Amino acid sequence: MSGKRSAGLLLFRHTDRGLEVLLGHMGGPFFARRDAGAWTVPKGEYEPDEPAWDAARREFREELGLPPPEGEAVPLGEVTQTNGKVVTAWAVESDLDPATVVLGTFEMEWPPKSGRRQEFPELDRVEWFDLDRARSVIVKAQAEFVDRLADHSG
């Protein structure tokens, strides 16, 4: 996995309960029964010749089936996940309704070594989280994005 790069958009909104972020629960059989560490910034991989910002917007459309929101993009920088993947993210303020999302899919052999190919959603759902809850469920390295957004919005 080392050397792979991913880019995504972290949507945020201000509510009467405070700042909230939109996270996606990773689809497929590996994450079906997991909560902690199974949520992510909607993101995807890109090739070195594609600008990270363009990839983040393309992946948002592919994973959520909606155009990426317009508005100021707050750069959140990069983090390196335990698998070696480098993730770049931007925060954009938007009050997206999770019910409007049309989730993208991927195909994989499942069960392993069965020869059967099955289709799974890349993300099986998206939800709004307050920052404390987001930190407790997001992929560990990506919690840094939540902290950077909180510092920016502080």
Side-chain angles (χ1 to χ4, degrees):
M1 182 71 67
S2 186
K4 300 248 185 208
R5 299 188 69 81
S6 226
L9 300 179
L10 179 62
L11 299 193
F12 68 97
R13 67 182 183 184
H14 296 274
T15 72
D16 56 0
R17 296 173 305 281
L19 195 60
E20 294 182 336
V21 293
L22 185 77
L23 301 178
H25 186 268
M26 291 183 273
F30 301 118
F31 300 99
R33 292 180 178 83
R34 289 184 53 198
D35 196 42
W39 292 82
T40 182
V41 171
K43 62 174 181 42
E45 291 181 9
Y46 65 98
E47 296 300 321
D49 61 343
E50 182 181 16
W53 171 247
D54 294 347
R57 294 176 54 79
R58 174 182 49 77
E59 287 293 336
F60 186 92
R61 184 181 301 274
E62 287 178 13
E63 293 206 351
L64 302 185
L66 299 169
E70 297 300 327
E72 178 191 358
V74 178
L76 298 177
E78 296 180 344
V79 299
T80 302
Q81 298 182 161
T82 55
N83 61 9
K85 181 182 284 183
V86 175
V87 180
T88 305
W90 288 264
V92 179
E93 188 166 5
S94 178
D95 194 9
L96 182 143
D97 178 356
T100 63
V101 168
V102 179
L103 300 168
T105 60
F106 71 97
E107 193 177 276
M108 67 180 278
E109 182 180 19
W110 190 260
K113 301 182 177 142
S114 67
R116 292 184 52 221
R117 306 237 5 123
Q118 291 189 49
E119 195 170 271
F120 297 98
E122 298 225 23
L123 300 172
D124 57 25
R125 63 191 180 276
V126 295
E127 293 178 23
W128 288 101
F129 291 91
D130 66 43
L131 300 189
D132 287 338
R133 178 87 174 110
R135 287 181 189 101
S136 74
V137 298
I138 198 168
V139 171
K140 188 174 182 179
Q142 292 180 32
E144 184 66 28
F145 293 142
V146 175
D147 292 340
R148 292 173 187 169
L149 174 63
D151 289 347
H152 173 81
S153 300

